[in-house]
Amino acid sequence: MNYERLQSNINAYKKTGEILEAARFLIHQFNLDDENFAGFGFREELEKESILLTANGEIGEMQHVMIPKNIFDFDLTLVLNMLAHEMLHVRQKSPRMMILDKNEREWQAYYEMLFHTNFPQIPELSDYYKNFFGEKALIYYSRMGEGSELQLKYLEQKLEVEKFLQDIKNKTI
């Protein structure tokens, strides 16, 4: 994937105010689309340094991914990883998956941002963001309940995330 050309396309969409179209373009370019995806909509922007996307819709129903209008003011690799995170939620909430527990959905989505098991075409994040999202994953793991069935289900992945984060920390020492 030629990221310069990709960024040029995004900039052209941005210049004409076609933010939702640019997001759709990325979904198609990176094969993230899903039959349970109803489309994009806008949500309120946070601070200039913060970005938040959400997958909105009841479990078992079509999902809308809500993005801020300033989404393309952020690093493209970060945006792609966040879109993949939300598109995994679209799948998780589909009638074919129906993952009911929010902590499990978030655990899987943050794990995806680190290891790209569902979307291997998504580029790798910087170590800063890997650490940030890895820590978020562990928060959701802890919310599953100490010794719960869910924690046992994801124990090996948790150990993998902990080792991954330790490897990142060891690189900076």
Side-chain angles (χ1 to χ4, degrees), residues 104-138:
E104 183 176 14
R105 289 193 308 269
E106 291 298 340
W107 167 261
Q108 288 181 359
Y110 283 117
Y111 184 88
E112 176 64 26
M113 294 175 88
L114 301 175
F115 299 106
H116 302 110
T117 56
N118 292 282
F119 305 121
Q121 68 278 21
I122 297 298
E124 218 175 286
L125 290 160
S126 69
D127 283 350
Y128 171 82
Y129 285 118
K130 287 177 190 175
N131 188 66
F132 180 80
F133 293 124
E135 294 292 340
K136 295 279 271 187
L138 292 175

Side-chain angles (χ1 to χ4, degrees), residues 7 19 21 30 51 55 74-75 77 82 127 130 168-169:
Q7 187 64 60
I19 304 304
E21 291 77 7
F30 286 85
I51 182 173
F74 295 89
D75 175 72
T77 298
M82 294 190 74
D127 283 350
K130 287 177 190 175
I168 290 171
K169 288 178 179 115

